[in-house]
Amino acid sequence: MIVLAGPSGSGKSRLAERLGRSRGWPTLRLDDFYRDGDEPDLPRIADGANAGLVDWDHPGSWHCDDAVAAIRALCEQGRTEVPEYSIAQSRRTGTQSLDLGGARVFCAEGIFADEVVERCRAEGLLEAAYCITQHPLVTFVRRLTRDLRERRKPPLVLVRRGWALLRAQRRVVRRAVQVGCRVATGDRAHAELTGRAGGGSSHVLAG
């Protein structure tokens, strides 16, 4: 498994799609393991303009154990059932089968992807882990544009959340580095993973 962690809007999904086209690597969307919004013990934002709302950027809003179980099944069996999640509705809407189709490598991407790194490394499931990042203002604009287009939440909530995430981006990157993620732009990570970076890379994999 290749982990693609990093701030929301940094380009993780875009990179996973590029690797799917160029290398044939399937993608496990870790954001589909969010908890339903009506669960009573979800973490809440404590202060600021969004105080009282569910804190969807807190790892407690996410099913880490379920995500690791899906990763383990993909590595051992090549297929698994994964949830379908609607961010706009804040709930699971169904399930779908993810089959690697014989691929030796797959990507796992999401804002909580760094949460699985240490566990998967200990189980021998991890090939490489990246924290995808770019300038915070670029991330802010791309994230807000995406979230408004997909109507993920009310516009005012998205703007306020986006501003809070911009200020928290360094902390998110620092956390990913602490568990062993390599910091890179999407272009740099793609070059390394496909063997196009100058001098080669220890993470270059066979097709």
Side-chain angles (χ1 to χ4, degrees), residues 13-196:
S13 298
R14 186 178 301 109
L15 173 59
E17 292 173 0
R18 290 178 65 189
L19 291 168
R21 293 193 299 269
S22 64
R23 304 295 283 180
W25 296 344
T27 298
L28 173 64
R29 287 173 37 88
L30 295 177
D31 288 351
D32 284 335
F33 291 88
Y34 263 121
R35 297 169 61 187
D36 286 352
D38 57 0
E39 295 184 28
D41 61 340
L42 285 168
R44 301 278 171 174
I45 298 173
D47 49 32
N50 288 333
L53 298 180
V54 174
D55 187 353
W56 295 111
D57 301 296
H58 189 289
S61 66
W62 184 70
H63 288 288
C64 185
D65 288 344
D66 291 353
V68 172
I71 291 167
R72 188 182 299 117
L74 286 172
C75 288
E76 294 176 353
Q77 304 165 24
R79 67 176 307 277
T80 191
E81 293 294 312
V82 297
E84 293 180 320
Y85 192 92
S86 169
I87 292 179
Q89 300 177 53
S90 300
R91 66 181 181 89
R92 294 188 182 192
T93 58
T95 60
Q96 60 180 332
S97 295
L98 177 59
D99 193 319
L100 299 185
R104 293 179 53 248
V105 179
F106 68 95
C107 296
E109 64 89 9
I111 66 169
F112 300 124
D114 59 291
E115 295 286 326
V116 309
V117 170
E118 292 180 312
R119 291 176 61 176
C120 291
R121 181 185 292 117
E123 294 187 34
L125 308 177
L126 183 69
E127 174 66 27
Y130 280 83
C131 176
I132 306 305
T133 188
Q134 56 193 339
H135 192 283
L137 286 175
V138 175
T139 303
F140 173 84
V141 171
R142 289 184 176 179
R143 176 175 54 240
L144 184 60
T145 301
R146 177 202 65 193
D147 291 351
L148 289 171
R149 182 179 66 248
E150 298 179 4
R151 299 180 180 178
R152 293 190 169 194
K153 302 295 178 189
L156 184 57
V157 171
L158 293 176
V159 172
R160 288 172 172 171
R161 173 179 178 264
W163 184 251
L165 291 177
L166 183 151
R167 291 182 294 171
Q169 180 161 320
R170 289 184 180 179
R171 175 176 52 80
V172 171
V173 173
R174 184 165 58 247
R175 184 184 66 197
V177 170
Q178 288 172 347
V179 298
C181 292
R182 173 173 169 75
V183 178
T185 64
D187 287 342
R188 178 66 184 181
H190 185 271
E192 291 186 1
L193 289 166
T194 56
R196 296 173 187 166

